[in-house]
Amino acid sequence: MATKDFDYESFAQNLAAQAQELVPQDFNDVQKQYVINTLGNFAMLSGKALAEDPNLNFNAEQSVTITQIIAEWSFHKSVDVIRSGIPQQYWDPVMQKIAYTIFEIAKQTFSQGLPHDKILELIEHHVKKSYLEAITELKNKGAIDEGLMEYAASQSNMDRMAQEMQQGGVPGVAPIDDSGLPPLPTSPNIPTEMPKVDSRVLKLATVAMLFKKLNQDKVQSILNKFDPQDAEAVIRYMRMPDLIDRVGGANALRALQEIKTTLPRNTQITPHKVILKLKKFGSKYSSKDLDTILIRERMGVKRLVFNAIEGKYYDKMPPKVASIVASHLTDSV
């Protein structure tokens, strides 16, 4: 039967609004809006199906969780698609394949009554599989080359967030001053009415939610850098079978936003950053204009620029030098 008490429109809008501050700051306005719109649209579509399809038999709490999972993966994989350098006209087909996969796997696993940890594990497996299948299809039909396919396959925004936490810990989280585990509230069925949770507790619980999806060896290496009491709290939260339901999507997004705003910025110069900078520079001009602008530049500079526009890096130029070249071109034109 349909789930009448699930306000999917408000929930999808709330998730999309809170995701705005989580979009990578190096994205341009078009890229940022794509991530937000993709998350919002897929959350809205899945929520509508769960709430109105009489053939589905999920309660409001299950519908909330499924919609939240789709929104979360839509966010991470849309970021990965953009960072991959895949041409924009192929973003939607890749994301649609992923969203459809999540919805179908979620329906099957929830219908079977599997434990939350197993559900998340299966969904993650099939998300990664469908993403690789989608970019492999693009390569097979000649839309992208093998190098770009391999680069796209290496993208993982979820792993990147974990690495940032490893470098900066959990900012703004004071150590727990006693041996007890801070309590989490029980989320109501309607997610738009989430109670406010203590910021420190919420951040630790949200980190635990993220860590439950990562390889445990990687989790342990990250936790080794945490305050021991914080690490203990995260581990104990990870053992909660109903952690996702008790934290809720809105609270988790709020915590991620607070964590991100206090993480130290990564100032390391990478080929990917150079590519993004030069792609933004090149997007302002036609090919003819670029030829004119670069007419007096050395061949290596020209190859650096035109490779970057195609999403590739000219590896004969060190990233630090390439970054200086990119800044020079951007400032001088």
Side-chain angles (χ1 to χ4, degrees):
M1 61 180 180
T3 307
K4 297 299 183 183
D5 55 346
F6 175 33
D7 185 1
Y8 65 88
E9 291 187 8
S10 296
F11 188 37
Q13 291 168 3
N14 192 20
L15 291 174
Q18 294 192 54
Q20 291 186 33
E21 297 301 322
L22 297 174
V23 181
Q25 294 303 304
D26 59 335
F27 280 13
N28 60 37
D29 290 342
V30 172
Q31 293 168 330
K32 289 179 180 178
Q33 201 57 51
Y34 180 81
V35 174
I36 295 166
N37 289 345
T38 299
L39 181 155
N41 290 340
F42 287 157
M44 185 76 73
L45 289 172
S46 60
K48 180 179 177 65
L50 292 164
E52 299 180 359
D53 189 339
N55 296 317
L56 298 179
N57 191 28
F58 297 118
N59 59 34
E61 186 174 353
Q62 291 171 320
S63 298
V64 165
T65 304
I66 293 172
T67 304
Q68 176 186 328
I69 291 171
I70 289 175
E72 181 180 351
W73 276 113
S74 296
F75 175 85
H76 287 302
K77 298 316 292 182
S78 60
V79 169
D80 289 346
V81 167
I82 292 172
R83 280 181 171 149
S84 72
I86 292 173
Q88 187 170 351
Q89 64 264 36
Y90 303 118
W91 294 353
D92 279 349
V94 173
M95 291 306 304
Q96 287 164 4
K97 183 180 182 70
I98 292 171
Y100 174 80
T101 297
I102 299 171
F103 191 67
E104 291 302 310
I105 298 300
K107 284 195 303 181
Q108 294 175 27
T109 53
F110 274 84
S111 296
Q112 295 169 10
L114 298 181
H116 275 295
D117 288 354
K118 186 63 176 178
I119 290 174
L120 294 178
E121 180 183 334
L122 287 170
I123 288 176
E124 180 176 8
H125 169 77
H126 285 282
V127 165
K128 292 179 177 179
K129 181 181 177 183
S130 62
Y131 176 64
L132 290 175
E133 288 175 349
I135 59 179
T136 301
E137 288 174 7
L138 292 177
K139 184 260 182 183
N140 289 341
K141 70 179 186 180
I144 61 175
D145 61 23
E146 186 169 353
L148 184 54
M149 181 191 72
E150 292 177 355
Y151 183 71
S154 71
Q155 298 302 308
S156 176
N157 187 59
M158 183 173 289
D159 286 348
R160 182 182 292 232
M161 289 181 67
Q163 289 170 1
E164 289 176 347
M165 288 181 183
Q166 182 175 7
Q167 293 168 359
V170 185
V173 178
I176 299 171
D177 57 10
D178 58 47
S179 59
L181 186 62
L184 288 173
T186 299
S187 298
N189 286 339
I190 305 301
T192 53
E193 300 297 328
M194 287 288 182
K196 293 295 183 181
V197 187
D198 177 81
S199 178
R200 171 177 59 85
V201 173
L202 180 58
K203 288 175 184 175
L204 290 170
T206 301
V207 169
M209 287 173 58
L210 177 63
F211 283 1
K212 288 179 76 169
K213 300 179 181 180
L214 298 178
N215 178 278
Q216 293 308 298
D217 289 337
K218 182 180 293 185
V219 169
Q220 189 58 55
S221 69
I222 297 173
L223 286 176
N224 288 339
K225 299 180 181 295
F226 279 35
D227 177 274
Q229 290 180 311
D230 286 346
E232 180 185 354
V234 170
I235 292 171
R236 292 171 68 182
Y237 281 135
M238 289 174 67
R239 293 172 181 163
M240 286 186 175
D242 59 346
L243 178 64
I244 293 176
D245 295 330
R246 296 179 69 181
V247 173
N251 279 329
L253 283 172
R254 178 163 63 88
L256 286 173
Q257 178 179 335
E258 291 178 7
I259 290 172
K260 183 174 181 180
T261 56
T262 50
L263 280 171
R265 292 187 63 83
N266 183 5
T267 57
Q268 181 183 4
I269 298 172
T270 64
H272 179 61
K273 288 183 177 180
V274 175
I275 289 173
L276 289 175
K277 193 169 187 177
L278 288 173
K279 285 184 76 171
K280 185 176 182 180
F281 164 75
S283 66
K284 300 176 182 178
Y285 307 100
S286 66
S287 297
K288 185 176 180 181
D289 289 337
L290 280 175
D291 285 335
T292 301
I293 292 169
L294 300 174
I295 192 169
R296 295 186 178 181
E297 298 290 347
R298 291 169 296 171
M299 183 58 67
V301 172
K302 294 178 181 179
R303 288 180 178 174
L304 174 71
V305 174
F306 287 112
N307 278 14
I309 291 173
E310 296 177 0
K312 306 173 185 176
Y313 184 70
Y314 181 59
D315 57 10
K316 293 188 178 181
M317 188 177 294
K320 189 171 183 178
V321 175
S323 179
I324 294 172
V325 171
S327 297
H328 165 72
L329 291 173
T330 302
D331 297 339
S332 62
V333 179

